[in-house]
Structures are given as structure tokens and as C-alpha cells.
Amino acid sequence: MFRLMKFIFGLAFFVAVCLGAMNLYFHKVFPIAKKVRVAASTIEVANHVHPLTAAEIPSTFREAIVATEDRRFNHDPGIDLVGIARSIVVDIQKDGYVEGGSTITQQLVDNTLLSKRKTMRRKLKQMFYAVGVYDTMSKREVFTLYTNVIYFGHGAYGLHNAAETYFGRSPAQCNEGELTMLAGLPNAPSAYDPLKNYTLARQRQRLVLENMVDAGYISNAKADEIYQEPLRLA
């Protein structure tokens, strides 16, 4: 019993030291929140992005993205251990690179701090940085930056530019059908581009709506109602 208690206290001390070291590193040595903000701002300027505030992001879009891209976003520590484990099992044979399992936080890190080379080292760095972002930034800010820098295809970065590109109006003027279609684009923008592949875009929209139902955001009846809304493509 004494040995077990000693082990538990020792483990707790080790974890506390590690967490303290990470906190120091991401706040002082490598101020990751500042680096992400600067990189996001650079992307916005370079791509003429009209940035949205957190309050300007429609709730339907947020729910659609969370339900589809990162179901545990509101509670995960920047990484999804369940998703990572699943992707390791699926992709262990693919040259050691862990594909998939990326949270919204990891995608933000991808788009602001990392190169596009697909290596195990890069994936590990992505996860490490995502934990740092979780430790230094609010979920609200993470989602807002993600929404403003993610690529939607057709040269459009950020939700506002995407809404203007595909529907000729701002996100606030888009109906729920249009917003859920936009939420399906970041996964594969060229494949689901509604101006080129309307049928695939509609299939992707339906999947987004099914995800929203599974996540408890809307009912099946509401999903059907949204799917029937007119899509006023530009």
C-alpha cells in the first residue's frame, strides 16, 4: 500500500513538473498564442480576408463545423486522443505517418505555424503545439481564428470571403442551407466546390447535417428543412 501511494505521488509530481515546464515554454520561451495571432494576421492580409469577430460567426456554421470536424472541440485539450488512437490503427502501415485525427486546434496550428510536409515529426509537433494553444488561448479565439484563415477553395480564405465567393453575400445574409454547405468545404475544397461539383457539394452538405443531428444540435426534421432551403449560388 505504501509503495502504491509513493508511486501515485511520484507520478503526480512528475506530471505537475511537466505541465509547469510546458506552461513556461509556451508563455515565455515560445509564446505560441502570439505566434499564431501574428501568422493568422499575415494570412488575412496576404489573402485579402475580411475577418469576422466571434460574435459575427453564425451559430449554425459553428455547430456544423464542430459536429463535422471536431465533435469534442469544446472539451478536448487541443488534441483528440480518441481520434489519434483511431488514426494510428488505420494508418500505421502508411510509412509511419499518422493521417487524420486532427482537431480544429490542430488545423489552426497547421494553417499558421507548420509547413505542409506530411511527416511523423511534423504530426508530433502539430499535437504538441495544439496543446500549447489550448493552454494559452480560449476556445472562442481558436475557433474565430480558424474560421478566418481556413481555406474554402476558389481562392477564398475565411468564412466571409467564402460566403461572398460562393453565394455573393455575407455570412449573416446566408441561410442555414448555405452555411452548412460552406461548413463542408474545408475538408476537401476542390472536391466539394459547389460551382464545379454541385452534386458532391450537396452530398457533403447532407453529411454535415447528419453530423449535426448525431451531435444533438438539430433534429432530423430540422436537418431536412435546412436541406430543402434554396442555395443561391453566385
Side-chain angles (χ1 to χ4, degrees):
M1 183 66 178
F2 175 74
R3 287 184 178 180
L4 178 60
M5 293 297 293
K6 185 177 180 180
F7 172 78
I8 293 174
F9 280 119
L11 180 61
F13 177 76
F14 175 75
V15 171
V17 169
C18 289
L19 291 175
M22 286 181 62
N23 186 277
L24 177 64
Y25 179 76
F26 285 123
H27 279 85
K28 301 296 183 182
V29 180
F30 187 82
I32 194 166
K34 179 179 179 181
K35 290 181 179 294
V36 169
R37 292 175 188 130
V38 169
S41 179
T42 300
I43 292 171
E44 291 169 2
V45 172
N47 295 284
H48 309 290
V49 174
H50 180 116
L52 298 173
T53 65
E56 291 172 328
I57 300 173
S59 59
T60 296
F61 176 81
R62 178 188 171 89
E63 291 169 356
I65 285 288
V66 170
T68 303
E69 297 291 329
D70 184 3
R71 195 73 58 86
R72 288 172 281 275
F73 171 70
N74 293 316
H75 310 289
D76 67 43
I79 58 176
D80 180 1
L81 297 178
V82 175
I84 291 171
R86 184 184 300 115
S87 61
I88 289 175
V89 171
V90 172
D91 299 325
I92 197 67
Q93 301 300 323
K94 297 182 179 180
D95 299 321
Y97 175 70
V98 182
E99 182 68 81
S102 292
T103 63
I104 288 172
T105 309
Q106 286 174 263
Q107 291 180 52
L108 176 61
V109 167
D110 259 351
N111 283 276
T112 54
L113 300 182
L114 299 179
S115 68
K116 297 303 179 182
R117 289 186 60 195
K118 294 185 176 183
T119 63
M120 177 65 79
R121 181 179 181 182
R122 175 186 172 281
K123 187 68 177 183
L124 292 173
K125 183 181 286 188
Q126 178 208 66
M127 291 188 289
F128 182 60
Y129 283 175
V131 174
V133 168
Y134 165 76
D135 189 46
T136 57
M137 301 175 72
S138 69
K139 291 286 187 179
R140 182 182 177 90
E141 182 177 12
V142 168
F143 191 84
T144 302
L145 291 178
Y146 167 91
T147 299
N148 286 327
V149 303
I150 201 72
Y151 185 58
F152 287 83
H154 243 78
Y157 286 80
L159 176 60
H160 187 280
N161 290 35
E164 291 280 1
T165 296
Y166 291 108
F167 299 111
R169 52 184 63 83
S170 70
Q173 296 170 321
C174 288
N175 61 37
E176 292 181 300
E178 292 160 348
L179 290 171
T180 52
M181 177 168 279
L182 289 173
L185 298 183
N187 179 263
S190 60
Y192 300 125
D193 182 344
L195 300 180
K196 294 182 178 180
N197 305 310
Y198 184 76
T199 300
L200 284 179
R202 285 288 274 172
Q203 291 174 0
R204 178 65 176 172
Q205 181 196 11
R206 170 58 78 181
L207 178 61
V208 169
L209 289 167
E210 290 173 357
N211 288 332
M212 293 177 74
V213 172
D214 290 341
Y217 287 121
I218 58 175
S219 64
N220 280 303
K222 180 63 176 178
D224 291 337
E225 178 185 322
I226 293 174
Y227 191 73
Q228 296 303 320
E229 290 185 337
L231 301 175
R232 303 159 294 179
L233 290 169

